[in-house]
Amino acid sequence: MLKKYGIRKGFIAALFLNNSIDFISIFFALIEIGATPIPVNMAFRAIELDEIFSNADPHAVITEKDHLKVIMKYLSGRIVVERNGGNFLMRDSGAGGFGRGPAEVDHSIATINYTYRGYGYPLGAMVPHIQYLFGSELLQEAVRLDAGERLLVVLPMPHIFTLIGCIFLPLIYGITPVISRSRNPLRLFETVHAYQIQNILAVPELYELLYKFRDSAGDCTPLNAFLSGGSVMPDEMYGRLVDEFDVDLIHGYGLTEFTPVSRNIRGDIRPGTIGMVCDGLEYKIDPCDEFGFGEILIRTENMTKAYYRRSAESRDVFQNGWFRTGDIGRVEDGHLIFKREKKKTRKVKGNMVDLLEVQRILMEYPKMRNAIIECNDSILSAAVEIDSARNFDSEVLSIKKFLEDRIAGYKIPKIFSRI
Amino acid sequence: MKDNKITTVDADNLRESIIKTLAVIARINEKEINDSILIKDELGIDSIMSLEIIANIEKRYNIQINEEDTMNITTVGEFIDYVIHIINKK
């Protein structure tokens, strides 16, 4: 079908698809053709999309029909395939990318995944095929799922943790992914019962939500393991979840450029850590302070080595074969302890937020003179200086409205104050 | 006509109860919440919080809320009306 629509080897295709079997089919069909998928976060709006479309200039866009209104201005001259109720059809969008040659993407690269490093704009990590395979192997070494087990897929598929944990690992090791359309904790419990789910892969914030509704969980005997990543799992929550659901809670750490970097291993789980650094990865803490904390650097042949069409940023981040994670931590008995981000990004409920990007878009608001963005306890706040005599509450409402179409919803500061 | 249609008194209780739920989850004084308040922009309700609110209300009133139906709801009043509509449809 994709070939019929004109997608060829060397083409780049941006995917705007909800979690579905179709997502997985299209993803692998593109790779089979020799095209490069960009799995795009569906929450992205103008500021992120401007950068992705200008940086990657995809030949094709494969999108949910109801997402067209968000991406309409980027479609001209590209092959556009829309998904509507499980059916695909080609949309007339002018020249349709047919006259363009292939992109300069090495055949070792599987996908381009946009992530952040604190530069104020997203960077397209060129993720090699081997990273998906090696990452899946390292994750399976830790979680030790048995063929035939079922894994509940809750997180959006474009995330690297979902791609590896919920798509590649299941396909390689014979695990059955069960895709949930809802993240409502009551629906998730129903799905666990209906499909006899043994494992869930999610972020700590979703596990916390399951815990809050634990009295509606019913008989969760089938559940064996919670695979967790994406943000910090507080020790207290770890203990509560294990006690309540009687599962192995396997928490780990990874980045788009390589996942997993470290992970707790069944039978050797150490709460408060993000687990053992994976075998086959070299690591160092550099520079290291008197307490052993410093930036975590990793090296493996099997990781991302550059960002698409961003050579200066690539040189900053990938040095002499080492990937500077931009995160501060230390290693204790082979277990990694995460302290904080050194780079200007923060995790908000499992989502990465680039503080400079938020500041940049806020500065585009009329009469904005200064904006300082902070993140404490996963809550984003903005202190703003604005030339306006208007009531501040009304001004804040107007700022939020301004941001709504321009940036992903989770990046809109919750708290505003005047400088 | 079904017996489970809610009365004006029920509706007032329900309104009060939903506002209490919103206040707890948004960590805001319930007196500051009225029908015209914008759920996302003024209460700062994010996607995880909205899941918690929906699950809370589903449990309390033994109903099922379609998450997609709530996407276009912007104000507290619209949300309350929607919940009343779902209860009446039961």
Side-chain angles (χ1 to χ4, degrees):
Chain A
M1 175 192 80
L2 296 175
K3 280 183 179 170
K4 191 179 84 185
Y5 291 151
I7 297 176
R8 301 198 304 265
K9 184 175 180 178
F11 276 21
I12 293 177
L15 303 189
F16 295 87
L17 295 175
N18 294 326
N19 282 9
S20 60
I21 301 288
D22 287 340
F23 180 107
I24 301 173
S25 310
I26 295 284
F27 182 88
F28 284 110
L30 287 166
I31 288 175
E32 174 68 19
I33 291 171
T36 308
I38 305 175
V40 186
N41 184 336
M42 301 277 275
F44 284 175
R45 292 294 180 266
I47 192 168
E48 300 99 342
L49 296 175
D50 282 353
E51 175 58 30
I52 291 172
F53 276 91
S54 123
N55 176 249
D57 192 14
H59 300 74
V61 173
I62 303 169
T63 180
E64 301 289 349
K65 187 179 183 197
D66 60 13
H67 202 67
L68 277 167
K69 57 185 180 297
V70 177
I71 55 172
M72 191 56 83
K73 74 169 186 174
Y74 307 100
L75 300 183
S76 174
R78 306 184 202 280
I79 297 167
V80 180
V81 180
E82 64 178 55
R83 176 179 186 258
N84 185 11
N87 295 314
F88 288 89
L89 62 95
M90 192 166 156
R91 193 182 164 83
D92 183 7
S93 63
F98 293 104
R100 292 172 55 197
E104 288 174 15
V105 180
D106 189 86
H107 63 86
S108 65
I109 302 304
T111 59
I112 298 174
N113 302 42
Y114 280 84
T115 184
Y116 286 92
R117 292 287 311 187
Y119 289 98
Y121 44 84
L123 299 170
M126 292 196 278
V127 179
H129 296 281
I130 190 72
Q131 180 175 321
Y132 284 109
L133 302 177
F134 187 48
S136 304
E137 188 184 324
L138 293 173
L139 190 58
Q140 170 64 0
E141 275 175 21
V143 297
R144 297 173 186 166
L145 305 185
D146 289 328
E149 286 191 25
R150 290 171 185 178
L151 172 70
L152 187 61
V153 183
V154 189
L155 302 181
M157 287 183 173
H159 289 195
I160 196 82
F161 185 38
T162 323
L163 286 169
I164 288 189
C166 295
I167 298 180
F168 279 83
L169 186 149
L171 285 172
I172 295 169
Y173 295 98
I175 315 301
T176 305
V178 176
I179 301 168
S180 172
R181 290 208 172 98
S182 170
R183 292 191 301 160
N184 177 332
L186 305 180
R187 292 297 93 68
L188 295 181
F189 288 132
E190 287 165 12
T191 309
V192 166
H193 299 148
Y195 292 90
Q196 294 290 292
I197 303 286
Q198 288 94 355
N199 311 285
I200 301 178
L201 185 146
V203 292
E205 291 78 5
L206 261 178
Y207 289 124
E208 188 178 351
L209 198 54
L210 290 181
Y211 180 79
K212 283 183 180 168
F213 289 88
R214 60 193 177 281
D215 57 347
S216 301
D219 177 13
C220 282
T221 312
L223 278 177
N224 280 334
F226 285 172
L227 284 56
S228 169
S231 56
V232 174
M233 166 70 73
D235 288 356
E236 195 183 319
M237 182 47 60
Y238 175 93
R240 283 183 195 160
L241 287 166
V242 170
D243 289 347
E244 181 63 35
F245 295 105
D246 191 23
V247 291
D248 287 329
L249 204 170
I250 304 159
H251 189 65
Y253 160 73
L255 303 101
T256 303
E257 294 83 345
F258 194 80
T259 288
V261 170
S262 66
R263 71 281 184 259
N264 278 286
I265 294 173
R266 263 187 161 157
D268 184 18
I269 293 173
R270 197 176 294 192
T273 77
I274 42 176
M276 303 272 286
V277 178
C278 296
D279 289 340
L281 288 190
E282 287 180 82
Y283 72 89
K284 62 180 177 179
I285 305 294
D286 178 55
C288 188
D289 71 14
E290 57 187 305
F291 304 105
F293 281 105
E295 184 175 0
I296 303 162
L297 275 70
I298 62 159
R299 184 161 67 176
T300 166
E301 269 307 298
N302 303 327
M303 66 183 186
T304 296
K305 296 193 177 82
Y307 301 112
Y308 190 60
R309 291 177 171 166
R310 286 287 184 189
S311 49
E313 294 83 345
S314 299
R315 279 195 301 275
D316 276 354
V317 175
F318 301 96
Q319 296 175 357
N320 303 318
W322 289 96
F323 165 51
R324 304 195 73 94
T325 63
D327 293 328
I328 303 285
R330 79 182 166 95
V331 178
E332 193 178 274
D333 301 332
H335 287 74
L336 201 52
I337 296 168
F338 178 88
K339 189 177 181 188
R340 62 178 173 83
E341 285 118 327
K342 176 184 175 190
K343 55 187 186 261
K344 297 275 183 207
T345 61
R346 296 293 180 268
K347 282 294 181 78
V348 175
K349 301 195 173 178
N351 297 297
M352 190 180 265
V353 177
D354 186 316
L355 302 180
L356 275 181
E357 183 183 57
V358 180
Q359 183 193 40
R360 190 158 65 87
I361 190 71
L362 267 173
M363 291 304 293
E364 287 179 19
Y365 183 76
K367 297 179 184 171
M368 186 69 75
R369 291 174 61 89
N370 194 9
I372 299 166
I373 315 301
E374 288 187 344
C375 184
N376 294 306
D377 294 329
S378 290
I379 295 174
L380 269 186
S381 61
V384 295
E385 184 182 355
I386 189 161
D387 280 339
S388 163
R390 208 169 153 193
N391 168 289
F392 190 61
D393 287 344
S394 307
E395 196 70 64
V396 168
L397 269 185
S398 153
I399 295 172
K400 285 184 174 176
K401 279 274 166 239
F402 172 83
L403 294 177
E404 226 163 58
D405 295 332
R406 291 174 168 83
I407 199 163
Y410 58 83
K411 299 179 185 176
I412 298 176
K414 264 199 191 328
I415 301 168
F416 280 83
S417 60
R418 271 190 196 278
I419 292 179
Chain B
M1 192 170 163
K2 286 186 179 178
D3 292 332
N4 60 4
K5 293 260 183 198
I6 61 172
T7 63
T8 312
V9 177
D10 292 336
D12 287 345
N13 290 337
L14 183 134
R15 184 175 301 274
E16 199 178 310
S17 164
I18 290 177
I19 285 177
K20 264 187 188 149
T21 304
L22 290 170
V24 169
I25 292 168
R27 295 181 194 169
I28 194 167
N29 188 329
E30 61 187 88
K31 286 180 184 156
E32 291 176 37
I33 303 179
N34 59 51
D35 279 9
S36 62
I37 290 276
L38 299 168
I39 295 175
K40 206 160 61 173
D41 293 340
E42 291 183 275
L43 296 183
I45 300 289
D46 61 29
S47 62
I48 297 264
M49 289 159 126
S50 65
L51 290 170
E52 188 176 350
I53 291 164
I54 288 171
N56 254 308
I57 289 166
E58 283 190 352
K59 249 181 86 173
R60 190 169 312 147
Y61 299 104
N62 193 26
I63 53 172
Q64 283 213 1
I65 293 174
N66 183 339
E67 287 160 50
E68 282 172 18
D69 288 349
T70 61
M71 304 278 248
N72 296 324
I73 291 176
T74 54
T75 67
V76 170
E78 285 169 17
F79 182 62
I80 293 170
D81 289 345
Y82 171 77
V83 173
I84 291 173
H85 169 70
I86 296 292
I87 292 173
N88 279 336
K89 256 185 23 180
K90 240 190 358 177

